[in-house]
Amino acid sequence: MDGQFVPAGYAQLEPFVRNWFENIAAVQFDHRLLAMATASAVLLLWLVGSRAALPRPARLALHALLAAAAIQFSLGVSTLLLVVPIRLRQCTRPAPCCC
C-alpha cells in the first residue's frame, strides 16, 4: 500500500484495537494479509494432501478447496487492479453472485 509493506497511519487510533475496525488503512491491510495467509495455508494443505494416500472423495474435496481459494484470491486481486468495479466487488462476497 503506497509502496510500503505496512501502510502509513496503521496504528493512528487509541486504543490500538480500534485500528482493526475503524482505521481504513489498517482494515485494508489486515484484509489483504488474511487473504494471503489463507491462500498460503490452503496451498500448503493441498501440497501435503496431494502426497498423502487419501480416498477419492477427500482428494476431490482437496482439489475443490484449492480451486475455491484460487478463484476467491483472483477475484480480490482483479478487484484491486480494476479499481473496484461494482459487479466484480459483488462477486467477492460470500453470498451467491449475479455477475
Side-chain angles (χ1 to χ4, degrees), residues 37-79:
T38 302
S40 299
V42 167
L43 181 60
L44 181 63
L45 177 67
W46 182 82
L47 288 171
V48 170
S50 65
R51 289 178 174 81
L54 295 174
R56 182 170 170 76
R59 189 167 298 281
L60 290 175
L62 197 61
H63 294 321
L65 178 64
L66 180 66
I71 290 169
Q72 184 66 27
F73 194 83
S74 300
L75 283 171
V77 171
S78 299
T79 299

Side-chain angles (χ1 to χ4, degrees), residues 65-99:
L65 178 64
L66 180 66
I71 290 169
Q72 184 66 27
F73 194 83
S74 300
L75 283 171
V77 171
S78 299
T79 299
L80 290 175
L81 293 177
L82 298 174
V83 194
V84 196
I86 299 299
R87 301 289 274 162
L88 185 58
R89 184 179 68 194
Q90 290 172 338
C91 293
T92 65
R93 303 291 185 248
C97 139
C98 302
C99 293

